[in-house]
Amino acid sequence: MSALLSRPEAAPASGHLQDADPAPPGDRRPANLAVAGAGALAVLLCSLSVHGVIEGWSWLPPLFFAVLVPLAATAGARRLKVPQPLVPVAGMAVLACTLTWLFASSASFLGFLPGPGTLARADALLAEARTVVLTEVTPVQPLPGILFLCCAGIGLVAVLTDTLAATLRMPATAGLGLFAVLLIPAVLKPASLGAGYFFLAAVGYLLLLTVSALREQHRPGIPRTWLARGTAVSASALALALLLPPVLPGFNGGAFPEGTRFNFFSGSTGLNPIVTLGNDLRQPQSAGRITYATSSVEPVYLRSTTLEDFSGSRWAPDVREDERREGVATMSGGAYVTPRGSQAEAVVTRISSNTYASPWLLAPYYPLGVTGAEGSWSWDPKTMTVLDDDSDGAARQDYQVLSIAAEFTPEQLAAIPEADATSLDPVFTDLPADLPGNIREAAAEAVGDAATPYAKAMAIQSYLRGPQFTYSLEAPVEGGYDGNGISVLSEFLERKGGYCVHFAAAMAVMARQEGIPSRMALGYAPGQATGETPDGTGPNGEPLREFEVDSTDAHAWPELYFEGAGWVRFEPTPSRGSVPDYAQQQRTPGSATIHDDDDPRVPDALATAPAVPQAEAPLAPETVLEAGDTGTTAWLGAVLGTLAAVAALLMPWAMRRRRAARRRKAAADGSRSGPAWDEIADLGIDYGYPGRTSDTPRTYARRLAGEAGFSPQAEEALTRIRLAFEEEAYAGAGRGGRGAAPTWADLETVQDELRSGTSLFGQLHARFLPPSLAMRFRHD
């Protein structure tokens, strides 16, 4: 890449620092100026992709100055024959003056020369930028600190690009700087870079290569090989973009870095865990394993922090530094009042992780004390959250939490009257004055004629878990409302598709609208059992059971306040987490533990496999190879084009086959039935029998066997898989099963039955264009 089109065949071999082309100097200066202009245009075209990382376009005018003014200085330095090593120095000096003029003019000499207060101002701007990065989701607000960071970073890239392309005459290598700019939105945007911005960046880069190649045409009689070289470069990059991602084990879909296993966020949540929650859930592979051993009868939710202030355009946890209390060995003096009429049990939970790096400490609710955690911890008596005061949190932690868990019954909660508004901090009841009308209307529609706080809470939870709402990680990205804030919540209630952050925020805000104090908790759903029984016991001699969670278990849920009962957890997100017994809808005895609105592919409490992204379409990465003899370009392009076409046809088949292989491997030891059930659901989609959001495993299996006309043998195989899955999902992993355990051969029996009952066209469609790669369950 660095050699192609980077230096001419007739480049000087001497050690002169100035351009020493055989052509007259007067002919070379306009060419160098053109290359500098092309480099500036390429940087600016790449910079357009920052839109969506930063809100709006107000960042663009100062960025123009930060790019164009320093490059004008480097062009002038070359014109004045400044020694070559000093050209980039001049560019960086002018960049510093430009940034001073844009962001620190009041602390400088003459409004643009850095002075004693300039560094202090720069440090304050960088501190502001760091806070925004840690506490906001993209697109972030265009605050001065963010604009300064953007202009400084891209300005340095512009000077680097100009140095490589115009000064050192290595334009192909200058693509590294352009790639660095593209990496910002590629990593931070939920939908990665996008084809449009990649096209603009490619146009800028190819323009830079073209202008640089034209500069090297010294004599009129020499053929212009730049077009052939550029074609070869483009064809090679396209072929690699199409052929490599399906076969490289590191890619799961999309282009680098979206389609790789690299997770720049997982395990590190910063001050605002909501920032990374969506990114964690969308990762194709789980990361950041955390184990906990608990004496609780049921697996526990690990809570890191809470969000209670729903004002402002962005939401973030409130640290409340003035109200925090030091020392966490004994919290609340060890005194905990059992909620009126309820039972409570003391619980010991040992938590261990080598990767979780956050200033917020994970703990079950309600914590009474923490021992063994490294750091300087303090706790908030209003939320019982634990925060490290001195650092961003150590990644390696092994500590123990003593907590107490209250047990409620629906009858106890139903008897509680509306809470006294003066008994709580207004932060738990306040709503923005400009609350959108559709949020008020949704709350009124959900609640109906419910009279008590408990009845209202149950009505809101049922409304959000109803068939009109769907759990989707991709809908918010595609709809442009992947984030948090009142405007995002309003859009979610219109589109009715999102993930836990949206459902939890919706219930919390709608509950406040109906007079119920609320907040949103962030942390991890219970995860799944490891089968291990660690040493140690609970407060009453109970054995400890070990569970594990990772990035796919990142979760948000609402907590509602009931007078005399305290903060009570609800679960409005369909197919995620577990609904507490007191929040279950009243059902007939035969189906009391099966939820009509559960996705049959995902267990309510123990997800057996991470959700598969809806779309896995690769985009071309910024990859450039050197081309060989231009005489072979034509046939090489034809071969590569043919291979690319074949790869495009086989790619869905390969991805679907790889997904099935992963599931088969996961189910090989016979201890998990979830992968086989996931494969059943995908096969149903591929052969034209998709499930519905309202399906339970039982109703979906019955309809699939009936509509597909299963033979008794296939129906028995399906029943074995379904029964094992129901026991694993609702009774808990590792509790044994009823009847014969299913095998992967049962899955293959079902697959053969579906295939034999489908036309040849349907079989080809299911094999080579499987709809399950992009389709989720319909909700009719």
Side-chain angles (χ1 to χ4, degrees):
M1 169 176 161
S2 61
L4 182 61
L5 298 179
S6 61
R7 297 194 68 83
E9 286 80 3
S14 65
H16 293 293
L17 295 176
Q18 303 298 325
D19 290 340
D21 300 304
D27 296 336
R28 303 300 304 136
R29 291 168 184 166
N32 274 336
L33 186 60
V35 173
L41 181 60
V43 172
L44 290 174
L45 287 175
C46 290
S47 301
L48 294 178
S49 61
V50 175
H51 179 61
V53 176
I54 303 176
E55 194 174 67
W57 290 98
S58 60
W59 53 272
L60 196 53
L63 183 64
F64 266 88
F65 284 103
V67 170
L68 296 180
V69 175
L71 296 196
T74 57
R78 282 190 295 269
R79 181 82 175 182
L80 296 173
K81 299 184 179 181
V82 172
Q84 194 180 65
L86 297 181
V87 172
V89 175
M92 287 187 288
V94 172
L95 174 62
C97 293
T98 304
L99 294 174
T100 301
W101 170 62
L102 290 171
F103 300 101
S105 59
S106 61
S108 63
F109 295 116
L110 303 178
F112 68 93
L113 294 176
T118 306
L119 288 179
R121 172 61 176 162
D123 186 64
L125 289 170
L126 290 175
E128 181 184 62
R130 179 180 182 275
T131 300
V132 171
V133 169
L134 290 175
T135 60
E136 289 194 14
V137 295
T138 56
V140 299
Q141 300 178 79
L143 299 177
I146 288 293
L147 296 184
F148 173 73
L149 186 63
C150 176
C151 292
I154 297 180
L156 287 173
V157 168
V159 174
L160 171 66
T161 301
D162 179 81
T163 301
L164 292 171
T167 303
L168 299 178
R169 294 165 63 185
M170 300 170 60
T173 309
L176 294 173
L178 304 180
F179 175 76
V181 175
L182 294 179
L183 197 60
I184 299 171
V187 170
L188 296 180
K189 286 183 179 180
S192 194
L193 185 62
Y197 289 120
F198 174 73
F199 174 78
L200 291 176
V203 168
Y205 183 48
L206 291 177
L207 178 64
L208 177 61
L209 293 179
T210 300
V211 174
S212 300
L214 288 173
R215 175 183 62 178
E216 308 306 337
Q217 303 300 316
H218 300 299
R219 295 185 297 276
I222 296 180
R224 296 188 175 186
T225 60
W226 59 270
L227 181 59
R229 291 182 176 182
T231 302
V233 167
S234 302
S236 301
L238 178 61
L240 286 174
L242 293 175
L243 298 177
L244 289 183
V247 299
L248 288 181
F251 279 79
N252 296 272
F256 178 85
E258 180 193 18
T260 69
R261 293 177 181 171
F262 300 123
N263 185 352
F264 293 86
F265 303 100
S266 192
S268 179
T269 58
L271 292 176
N272 189 358
I274 201 172
V275 171
T276 63
L277 198 150
N279 292 306
D280 285 341
L281 292 175
R282 273 186 290 268
Q283 288 300 317
Q285 298 291 331
S286 61
R289 182 176 183 266
I290 302 168
T291 61
Y292 68 91
T294 182
S295 64
S296 173
V297 175
E298 298 295 334
V300 299
Y301 277 61
L302 296 180
R303 187 170 170 268
S304 64
T305 186
T306 61
L307 191 151
E308 44 274 339
D309 186 356
F310 295 113
S311 62
S313 59
R314 295 289 187 276
W315 298 338
D318 188 353
V319 175
R320 278 192 286 271
E321 295 180 355
D322 296 338
E323 302 178 35
R324 306 194 71 83
R325 299 181 183 178
E326 299 297 328
V328 294
T330 302
M331 300 165 61
S332 192
Y336 176 78
V337 179
T338 302
R340 184 176 61 238
S342 68
Q343 297 179 349
E345 62 173 356
V347 173
V348 166
T349 304
R350 294 210 308 258
I351 302 170
S352 178
S353 172
N354 293 328
T355 57
Y356 177 78
S358 173
W360 301 100
L361 193 73
L362 293 172
Y365 187 77
Y366 179 99
L368 297 179
V370 179
T371 56
E374 297 181 6
S376 177
W377 302 97
S378 62
W379 57 282
D380 183 353
K382 290 182 179 178
T383 62
M384 301 306 293
T385 56
V386 181
L387 180 68
D388 191 340
D389 297 325
D390 295 336
S391 71
D392 290 339
R396 297 179 61 89
Q397 287 286 5
D398 193 349
Y399 57 96
Q400 180 170 296
V401 181
L402 176 65
S403 61
I404 194 156
E407 297 180 2
F408 307 102
T409 65
E411 294 75 20
Q412 291 167 346
L413 294 176
I416 296 177
E418 186 171 327
D420 182 1
T422 62
S423 62
L424 285 176
D425 190 311
V427 73
F428 298 110
T429 57
D430 287 347
L431 285 173
D434 57 347
L435 189 70
N438 70 323
I439 298 180
R440 302 178 190 274
E441 293 167 4
E445 177 186 350
V447 169
D449 58 358
T452 67
Y454 174 71
K456 292 178 180 180
M458 290 295 294
I460 295 172
Q461 178 181 269
S462 298
Y463 174 77
L464 293 171
R465 292 181 67 90
Q468 68 270 38
F469 284 88
T470 58
Y471 180 88
S472 173
L473 293 170
E474 306 304 329
V477 176
E478 297 166 358
Y481 58 96
D482 183 48
N484 63 86
I486 286 295
S487 62
V488 169
L489 178 56
S490 176
E491 188 69 18
F492 162 71
L493 290 174
E494 289 292 332
R495 303 289 187 94
K496 293 181 169 54
Y499 51 94
C500 55
V501 167
H502 305 93
F503 284 94
M507 183 165 184
V509 173
M510 292 166 68
R512 288 191 186 188
Q513 174 63 24
E514 294 301 319
I516 308 173
S518 66
R519 65 193 183 197
M520 183 168 74
L522 299 162
Y524 290 89
Q528 61 184 13
T530 64
E532 300 292 331
T533 304
D535 295 335
T537 60
N540 299 315
E542 313 95 327
L544 302 182
R545 293 186 302 147
E546 187 179 75
F547 297 81
E548 64 178 355
V549 298
D550 54 38
S551 59
T552 61
D553 298 300
H555 195 42
W557 61 93
E559 295 178 344
L560 275 55
Y561 183 79
F562 290 83
E563 193 74 51
W567 292 98
V568 179
R569 175 178 66 86
F570 286 83
E571 187 53 83
T573 307
S575 77
R576 295 289 294 181
S578 60
V579 180
D581 291 340
Y582 55 79
Q584 297 278 0
Q585 292 293 329
Q586 296 300 314
R587 305 295 301 278
T588 60
S591 59
T593 60
I594 306 295
H595 309 293
D596 279 345
D597 52 340
D598 283 347
D599 187 326
R601 299 178 64 182
V602 184
D604 191 31
L606 301 174
T608 60
V612 178
Q614 292 184 3
E616 301 184 9
L619 300 175
E622 293 69 45
T623 307
V624 181
L625 292 184
E626 297 184 17
D629 186 1
T630 58
T632 63
T633 301
W635 69 263
L636 180 60
V639 171
L640 291 176
T642 302
L643 291 175
V646 172
L649 289 174
L650 295 180
M651 192 183 310
W653 168 82
M655 290 189 295
R656 181 68 179 86
R657 184 179 177 88
R658 183 169 55 182
R659 180 190 296 179
R662 287 199 301 263
R663 289 171 177 165
R664 180 169 186 165
K665 182 179 180 180
D669 60 357
S671 64
R672 297 174 58 196
S673 60
W677 181 255
D678 288 349
E679 187 65 12
I680 288 288
D682 273 356
L683 288 172
I685 292 175
D686 293 340
Y687 286 94
Y689 307 101
R692 302 168 183 165
T693 305
S694 59
D695 274 339
T696 65
R698 187 182 302 271
T699 60
Y700 178 62
R702 185 185 301 120
R703 192 177 69 256
L704 176 62
E707 293 179 0
F710 275 12
S711 65
Q713 180 184 5
E715 191 167 358
E716 289 174 4
L718 177 61
T719 300
R720 280 193 293 271
I721 296 174
R722 189 261 300 169
L723 286 174
F725 175 76
E726 284 180 337
E727 287 229 351
E728 180 177 319
Y730 303 118
R735 296 192 180 183
R738 298 175 300 182
T743 65
W744 196 257
D746 290 325
L747 184 281
E748 293 174 341
T749 299
V750 174
Q751 182 177 17
D752 292 340
E753 190 78 4
L754 288 170
R755 185 182 295 121
S756 64
T758 306
S759 65
L760 178 61
F761 175 82
Q763 293 179 29
L764 293 174
H765 184 268
R767 182 175 293 244
F768 294 102
L769 290 173
S772 61
L773 287 179
M775 175 182 174
R776 290 190 181 275
F777 286 101
R778 65 175 187 261
H779 45 92
D780 49 23

